[in-house]
Amino acid sequence: MAEARRKTTFEERKEIVSYCISHSRNYKDAAIKYDVSYSQVYSWVKKYDAAGEAGLTDKRGHHKTDDEVDELERLKCENLRLKRQLEERDMAVELLKKVKGFGFWGIIKAEMYQMYEIADESSLRYTIKDYLRFYSEERLRDRYHCKTPSEVREEALASDAPIEYPVPENKRIMKYKEKWCV
């Protein structure tokens, strides 16, 4: 008998099964003659009895086609995929909650949800990177009289006397200064 498995072709499996059946289902002799394990011969004969020659095909690594998948299996796969997607989205939401606050990060959170589809960590990283580019190069700001931060920076670098844009008071900082910086 074989110590380790050896690969067999479909034709070999048919031959082994027919030999075993024709010799009164003597699994041991078939295993010794064809140098395969007893349990493998038994398994092939059992599959042959259940499904005929089609039961001897090697289905490892082959996915079912859409025609072979029944409605229940398809729904289970879809459910699993959606659960994974929901978990990834929940992780992204939790990550965004950690950067809560007002100002820049508050704007990022509010606008990113509307502008991007965040599914996992890599898409979140891409989203933040792309949003930072958008924020500095495309997003018009009232504070800069409907200009982007990049336009204001370019004007300031090109001018000897750049325009000064007022910075609105931050109430949280003012409260902090009142409390701690007397």
Side-chain angles (χ1 to χ4, degrees):
M1 264 199 287
E3 292 293 320
R5 284 187 170 185
R6 73 173 182 88
K7 292 186 178 184
T8 56
T9 64
F10 177 72
E11 295 301 321
E12 284 180 304
R13 289 190 291 272
K14 282 192 334 188
E15 183 182 338
I16 293 167
V17 167
S18 64
Y19 175 85
C20 182
I21 291 173
S22 65
H23 288 85
S24 304
R25 296 186 183 261
N26 190 336
Y27 305 110
K28 184 177 179 182
D29 286 347
I32 292 170
K33 180 176 180 180
Y34 291 99
D35 192 32
V36 293
S37 70
Y38 177 94
S39 61
Q40 193 61 71
V41 174
Y42 179 81
S43 173
W44 288 332
V45 171
K46 194 172 180 182
K47 288 177 183 178
Y48 180 83
D49 289 341
E53 286 185 3
L56 299 177
T57 57
D58 188 2
K59 296 176 186 165
R60 292 176 295 177
H62 300 288
H63 297 286
K64 292 181 179 180
T65 63
D66 291 338
D67 299 337
E68 294 172 333
V69 177
D70 66 343
E71 185 69 15
L72 182 62
E73 282 185 67
R74 191 185 63 72
L75 289 173
K76 283 180 181 177
C77 290
E78 178 72 10
N79 190 15
L80 184 61
R81 184 187 65 78
L82 290 172
K83 280 183 181 178
R84 281 193 208 122
Q85 187 178 6
L86 187 59
E87 284 176 12
E88 290 172 353
R89 181 158 299 164
D90 288 344
M91 287 186 335
V93 167
E94 287 300 317
L95 183 60
L96 288 173
K97 282 181 181 177
K98 289 181 181 178
V99 291
K100 66 181 175 181
F102 301 102
F104 178 70
W105 288 108
I107 293 168
I108 281 185
K109 284 182 6 180
E111 290 183 357
M112 277 183 12
Y113 280 126
Q114 296 171 3
M115 294 172 58
Y116 299 95
E117 183 72 25
I118 300 170
D120 56 7
E121 182 183 349
S122 63
S123 66
L124 177 62
R125 288 178 186 276
Y126 170 79
T127 299
I128 291 172
K129 183 179 177 182
D130 191 53
Y131 183 79
L132 290 174
R133 181 204 52 77
F134 165 77
Y135 188 86
S136 64
E137 297 175 9
E138 297 178 31
R139 187 175 183 272
L140 302 176
R141 305 281 309 272
D142 288 335
R143 176 177 160 194
Y144 300 139
H145 307 296
C146 291
K147 295 179 186 174
T148 66
S150 294
E151 291 172 336
V152 172
R153 184 173 188 276
E154 288 171 17
E155 287 176 6
L157 291 174
S159 174
D160 291 334
I163 301 170
E164 289 189 29
Y165 294 96
V167 177
E169 280 189 13
N170 187 324
K171 292 178 184 176
R172 289 188 305 158
I173 292 175
M174 296 305 289
K175 283 182 183 179
Y176 177 82
K177 285 182 179 179
E178 288 172 4
K179 184 175 182 180
W180 300 103
C181 301
V182 180

